[in-house]
Amino acid sequence: MTAASKPWNKHRIIGQKRPLKISHIWGIRIRLEIEDNKRDLALFNLALDSKLRGCDLVKLLVSDVMSGGVVMRRALVTQQKTGSPVQFEITEGTRKSVLDWINFKSLNYSSYLFPSAKVPGEHICTRQYNRIFHSWIEKLGLDRTLYSTHTMRRTKAYLIYKKTKNLRVVQLLLGHKKLESTVRYLGIEVDDALDIAESLDI
């Protein structure tokens, strides 16, 4: 195996990262609002709503989420990893923070939603998104090793599953082709499966 084909996770301990709790979500939001950090608040809210992988989130264009001067209630993007389209909701609070950010930066429709401050015409990179994400985690005094940017993709999906126990809904929201992928992704325990089974009276 050549150096170029060396697995990225060789010799690393890789585990499923934790989703955020509701208290964590509001803790981060409140801190970003107090700081008047418009970019991070828009990025945080949209990451939660979209459930997109970091590589897709950082590449969003203004036109992906905005039409006719209004941030859309639903958006549709093509996932880089699978090539499949996925639709996501943009909640009222997220729409407001995204619009505030767009107006603050005077972004046009062809602009990246989260432009790079260092490279004109480019978007923030996934490494920068990772640094930004961990700054949010550190604001709460959480153990940064337990969370990653994938936490943002997983959080709302996990909360939806916990509330509804509907795997098919979560599968559609995440854009998974196989239900088995959603089961593994959520890390569903045997107890969860038994709870679902017991709730069905036939």
Side-chain angles (χ1 to χ4, degrees):
M1 182 177 289
T2 64
S5 60
K6 180 180 177 180
W8 69 272
N9 57 350
K10 186 175 183 180
H11 303 313
R12 296 184 184 183
I13 300 174
I14 303 300
Q16 201 168 50
K17 299 301 183 180
R18 293 182 181 179
L20 296 175
K21 298 178 180 178
I22 296 292
S23 60
H24 296 156
I25 292 170
W26 282 106
I28 292 172
R29 276 183 180 149
I30 290 170
R31 284 165 174 79
L32 294 177
E33 288 173 355
I34 290 172
E35 295 169 2
D36 195 27
N37 191 330
K38 292 181 172 59
R39 183 201 63 182
D40 280 19
L41 183 60
L43 181 62
F44 177 76
N45 285 337
L46 195 57
L48 280 175
D49 275 359
S50 69
K51 300 166 288 291
L52 291 172
R53 297 176 181 87
C55 60
D56 294 321
L57 180 68
V58 299
K59 292 179 181 177
L60 286 174
L61 300 172
V62 171
S63 58
D64 287 325
V65 299
M66 192 175 194
S67 179
V70 177
V71 178
M72 298 180 286
R73 291 178 178 272
R74 293 182 180 177
L76 181 72
V77 300
T78 300
Q79 301 173 97
Q80 177 179 298
K81 182 177 179 180
T82 64
S84 300
V86 64
Q87 192 174 35
F88 58 88
E89 77 289 355
I90 307 179
T91 57
E92 183 178 355
T94 299
R95 294 197 301 272
K96 181 182 184 304
S97 62
V98 168
L99 183 60
D100 286 348
W101 169 242
I102 291 172
N103 290 337
F104 177 73
K105 287 292 288 184
S106 300
L107 301 174
N108 57 49
Y109 280 92
S110 60
S111 300
Y112 284 114
L113 187 56
F114 302 107
S116 169
K118 296 181 178 180
V119 185
E122 289 296 321
H123 54 77
I124 62 172
C125 63
T126 52
R127 284 188 177 183
Q128 184 177 359
Y129 174 41
N130 183 62
R131 289 194 295 270
I132 293 168
F133 168 79
H134 279 105
S135 74
W136 301 336
I137 294 301
E138 289 166 359
K139 288 179 191 296
L140 298 182
L142 298 175
D143 184 347
R144 59 179 289 138
T145 65
L146 300 178
Y147 303 88
S148 75
T149 54
H150 217 68
T151 290
M152 300 301 293
R153 173 167 162 79
R154 190 166 179 249
T155 292
K156 197 165 186 177
Y158 183 78
L159 293 174
I160 289 170
Y161 169 72
K162 281 296 184 182
K163 183 176 181 179
T164 67
K165 301 296 185 181
N166 192 323
L167 284 171
R168 176 60 178 162
V169 166
V170 178
Q171 179 192 9
L172 291 171
L173 291 173
L174 291 173
H176 286 162
K177 292 183 178 181
K178 296 181 179 180
L179 194 61
E180 292 86 348
S181 299
T182 307
V183 172
R184 289 195 302 271
Y185 187 81
L186 292 176
I188 295 175
E189 303 292 339
V190 174
D191 286 346
D192 292 328
L194 289 175
D195 286 343
I196 296 172
E198 289 169 355
S199 67
L200 183 62
D201 186 13
I202 57 174

